Amino acid sequence: MRAGSGRGVLALALLRRCLLLGPLALRPSAGQDGDGCGHTLLTPHSGTLSSKNYPGTYPNHTTCRWRLRAPPGTSLLLAFGDVDLEPSERCTHSSLLLADPQAGTAYGPYCRNAGPTTPLLLTNSSTVTVLFNSTSHRSGRGLLLSYATSQHPDLVSCLVRGTHYTQEHVSVYCPAGCKDIDGDIWGNPSQGYRDTSVLCKAAVHAGVIADELGGQVTLSREKGITLYESAFANGLHSKRGSLSEKRLIFHKACGDALEVAAFNASSWWHEVDALGQDRAWVATRAALGTTGHSWAAEPSTEAAWLELDLGTRRKVTGIITAGSSKQHNYYVTSYHVSSSRDGKNWRPYRGSSGQDDKVFEGNIDSHGEVSNAFIPPIVARYVRVMPQSWHQRVALKVALVGCQLARVRAPRPYVPSIPKEVPVPTSHPGSHTPIPGIALDPEKAGSMLLVMLLVGGFVLLCSSLLLLAFLCRRKRKPAAELNCGITKGHPKLESSQVCSLQSLPPPSSALASFPTAAAPGDLSRTHSPEYAEPDLLQQSPGSPPGPSTFKPPPDEGYALPLVLSHYAVPGQRHEYAEPLPPEPEYATPFGEPDPTGPARYHAPPLRPASPGAPPHVYHEAL
């Protein structure tokens, strides 16, 4: 409790000191003051600050105060990159304190043995004062701190490297001011960067973000390559690196090489060498892919310039420059850029600041390529490069990077056009002909088109119906008539005695094959035949009569068996087939078997008879 109360008292004392350091803490703009301040870049949306000599040892008995301010309605988010201050009890020797003088809140003090618990600190205020204080000490790198608004929760420090991530796709927010922070990068924008490179610094080198603005960075971690070549781009030198497991590829939406329609220049150099040979350093030699010497201005020209005509308006996001060639040691070390949309009105490029013309860093030799990004991009047809400093002679090769403009057509208000006279005599002075050979009045074009569509649809429907009728008639065949049980599609058999007999009415002595519609009564007293006789029985005169499955007359000495139901027959084997009752037409449910009698056979269920047809007779099998 004593240690906690002591730290609280110290924090309040430091906060009081912040308030007593002067009225600058309440000024609306961000800034810094003191003798212990190092690299500092403060913007309304993000920034970076460090102690003096970072990452070397900070000096003794120094103080620095930074005033951070975010836009109204937002709060500040702080990322602790490094806090390495001399350890001491209650951080009395060296300390870092964050305070909001208006609200009276404080965070800290922090030092090496009492550092921040989390790498990110979200405050509840849009104004924060950062106070760094040092006394006599022996070691310590000092501090490195970055900030952004609460709208960017994925804020990272300038010291974060690609090896800190394991996922294949990464999206982070880099603060402004990481370009001049100590850290190495390996690779170049075309082939990618070694994953051990400092991430935000590599993004500035690749031209994805501007160091004075910061911004969102999206990259992929892909398979590493054997060798990473060095390059000079956007004011940063990268190193030549060896094989790595992963490499960083930054995503840039608009970064294609633009085709140049024509080159123009203020002047060109006509050289006559020692052997008397002529060499023309004309403007067309300024294309980056040209072999041999480049474009060079006349030596007497004071304000030389090189103009690139893209043929049409383009979105230009970067520029690549090179010197004369390895044979001639001429190159431009710095230059301005201006642009025009019509070739008459020119506008100098001032970058994100918008105050002074931006000076781009050029080449450091006559054969290497140097890239510079336009953030924000240029939208123009003509781009001029105006050299400001050079080595020996103004000589240059140039290429532009960008993409085509996205055409977005804004809705235009309807304005009635004035009718034009045409040589074709018509009642209306103007006509609209969407279909060749058919003149349509603009006022009646819609109705005429609808009528034409309806007529065309009707004609198509009629044609389809006629074609369908023709095909049906062609495939139609006379239906085959049933003859003696012969089905349709089979060859017709000759008439036989069986057919003639079947066509005749049965004699009165013959038994009916189907039961009558009367209700079944006593089987012994019924007058109608009980069993079906065959329709025709052909036998030779001398052959003995064959066995019959039909019931013989009662006078032959046979007695009817005791029948408990229509289907149950006593005994192990059925003696004769019993006729089915005429009603009901569907199979009756199985009766309960006689527990005292023998096992009985149950016939399968019957199908319903078709309407108008007599019920079929089913015979029980043996």
Side-chain angles (χ1 to χ4, degrees):
M1 292 297 294
R2 293 181 180 179
S5 60
R7 292 191 61 183
V9 172
L10 180 61
L12 292 177
L14 291 175
L15 178 60
R16 189 179 297 107
R17 183 179 178 183
C18 290
L19 296 175
L20 295 176
L21 280 175
L24 294 176
L26 301 179
R27 290 184 180 179
S29 60
Q32 67 175 6
D33 61 273
D35 56 353
C37 305
H39 167 70
T40 301
L41 179 58
L42 308 179
T43 69
H45 297 279
S46 66
T48 299
L49 53 94
S50 65
S51 59
K52 194 173 183 178
N53 300 332
Y54 181 85
T57 303
Y58 55 93
N60 294 326
H61 304 286
T62 58
T63 301
C64 185
R65 182 179 57 180
W66 296 272
R67 295 172 300 277
L68 312 180
R69 180 174 293 274
T74 62
S75 57
L76 284 170
L77 177 66
L78 295 99
F80 297 98
D82 191 8
V83 179
D84 185 53
L85 305 179
E86 179 80 12
S88 60
E89 185 180 358
R90 302 178 184 177
C91 300
T92 56
H93 290 175
S94 300
S95 63
L96 171 66
L97 178 68
L98 310 176
D100 181 5
Q102 294 180 350
T105 58
Y107 305 91
Y110 301 122
C111 57
R112 186 184 302 174
N113 58 330
T117 57
T118 58
L120 292 178
L121 174 62
L122 178 60
T123 65
N124 296 324
S125 176
S126 61
T127 59
V128 171
T129 299
V130 180
L131 177 63
F132 167 67
N133 180 42
S134 70
T135 60
S136 298
H137 67 282
R138 292 172 296 180
S139 63
R141 293 183 302 271
L143 65 94
L144 175 66
L145 184 68
S146 299
Y147 71 92
T149 63
S150 56
Q151 299 173 349
H152 305 289
D154 51 352
L155 172 69
V156 296
S157 169
C158 297
L159 301 180
V160 171
R161 298 179 181 270
T163 52
H164 293 164
Y165 299 93
T166 57
Q167 60 269 31
E168 297 300 325
H169 301 279
V170 180
S171 179
V172 296
Y173 185 83
C174 290
C178 291
K179 175 182 175 181
D180 296 328
I181 298 300
D182 186 69
D184 296 329
I185 54 177
W186 294 266
N188 54 70
S190 59
Q191 66 177 172
Y193 300 84
R194 207 171 188 269
D195 59 347
T196 54
S197 302
V198 180
L199 193 149
C200 292
K201 196 171 183 177
V204 175
H205 186 272
V208 178
I209 60 173
D211 181 62
E212 59 271 17
L213 293 177
Q216 198 73 28
V217 174
T218 304
L219 65 142
S220 300
R221 298 177 68 251
E222 301 181 0
K223 184 178 180 181
I225 58 178
T226 305
L227 182 64
Y228 297 89
E229 295 292 343
S230 61
F232 179 54
N234 298 296
L236 287 174
H237 290 273
S238 63
K239 294 184 177 181
R240 193 180 188 197
S242 59
L243 174 67
S244 67
E245 182 181 357
K246 293 289 184 179
R247 61 171 172 165
L248 308 179
I249 303 296
F250 292 94
H251 298 171
K252 192 174 183 180
C254 185
D256 301 329
L258 297 178
E259 183 179 357
V260 180
F263 289 87
N264 298 312
S266 58
S267 62
W268 59 275
W269 179 34
H270 181 263
E271 180 190 10
V272 179
D273 59 9
L275 301 177
Q277 297 179 352
D278 295 341
R279 182 180 288 112
W281 298 66
V282 294
T284 54
R285 305 290 304 176
L288 188 62
T290 303
T291 58
H293 62 282
S294 65
W295 162 78
E298 186 70 24
S300 60
T301 305
E302 295 182 358
W305 50 265
L306 175 67
E307 180 181 303
L308 291 79
D309 181 7
L310 300 176
T312 184
R313 293 181 183 179
R314 292 285 187 267
K315 182 179 180 181
V316 186
T317 59
I319 183 173
I320 305 174
T321 60
S324 58
S325 64
K326 291 184 178 180
Q327 183 180 0
H328 305 87
N329 194 21
Y330 310 144
Y331 54 91
V332 174
T333 57
S334 64
Y335 57 90
H336 290 300
V337 172
S338 61
S339 60
S340 174
R341 300 187 178 186
D342 54 5
K344 299 179 181 179
N345 301 316
W346 294 90
R347 186 177 186 179
Y349 185 78
R350 295 180 176 176
S352 58
S353 62
Q355 297 178 359
D356 300 328
D357 297 351
K358 184 173 182 178
V359 179
F360 293 90
E361 296 187 46
N363 299 81
I364 56 177
D365 53 38
S366 61
H367 56 277
E369 297 181 359
V370 175
S371 302
N372 282 285
F374 296 143
I375 302 175
I378 297 174
V379 177
R381 172 180 174 178
Y382 304 94
V383 176
R384 278 186 181 181
V385 180
M386 297 168 288
Q388 300 298 308
S389 60
W390 54 87
H391 179 74
Q392 294 187 4
R393 190 177 296 274
V394 177
L396 197 63
K397 289 183 180 181
V398 181
L400 296 177
V401 177
C403 58
Q404 295 183 356
L405 289 175
R407 297 186 177 183
V408 180
R409 296 183 178 180
R412 299 180 179 179
Y414 172 75
V415 178
S417 59
I418 301 175
K420 300 180 180 179
E421 296 183 358
V422 293
V424 181
T426 177
S427 59
H428 297 277
S431 62
H432 176 65
T433 59
I435 303 177
I438 302 177
L440 297 178
D441 188 357
E443 299 179 356
K444 301 181 180 180
S447 58
M448 290 293 295
L449 182 59
L450 179 61
V451 171
M452 293 175 63
L453 291 176
L454 292 177
V455 172
F458 179 75
V459 172
L460 181 61
L461 179 61
C462 294
S463 303
S464 302
L465 293 177
L466 292 176
L467 180 60
L468 182 61
F470 174 75
L471 294 176
C472 293
R473 184 175 183 183
R474 186 175 181 180
K475 292 183 179 180
R476 183 183 301 169
K477 294 181 180 180
E481 298 179 358
L482 297 176
N483 190 356
C484 297
I486 304 302
T487 60
K488 181 180 179 181
H490 295 272
K492 184 177 180 181
L493 300 178
E494 296 179 0
S495 60
S496 61
Q497 185 178 4
V498 177
C499 295
S500 62
L501 289 176
Q502 287 180 351
S503 62
L504 296 177
S508 59
S509 62
L511 295 176
S513 301
F514 305 99
T516 60
D522 188 1
L523 297 178
S524 63
R525 297 180 181 180
T526 180
H527 299 283
S528 60
E530 296 174 346
Y531 299 96
E533 293 290 337
D535 293 336
L536 181 63
L537 187 64
Q538 295 181 355
Q539 296 181 355
S540 59
S543 62
S548 175
T549 61
F550 297 91
K551 180 180 179 180
D555 54 2
E556 294 186 9
Y558 288 87
L560 292 174
L562 179 61
V563 180
L564 300 178
S565 65
H566 295 295
Y567 300 99
V569 179
Q572 296 294 331
R573 307 183 63 176
H574 303 287
E575 293 180 345
Y576 299 100
E578 292 293 341
L580 294 175
E583 291 181 357
E585 296 181 353
Y586 299 92
T588 58
F590 294 112
E592 295 293 331
D594 187 2
T596 61
R600 307 180 190 279
Y601 170 78
H602 298 281
L606 302 179
R607 305 181 198 174
S610 59
H616 296 279
V617 177
Y618 293 86
H619 300 282
E620 297 178 353
L622 293 178

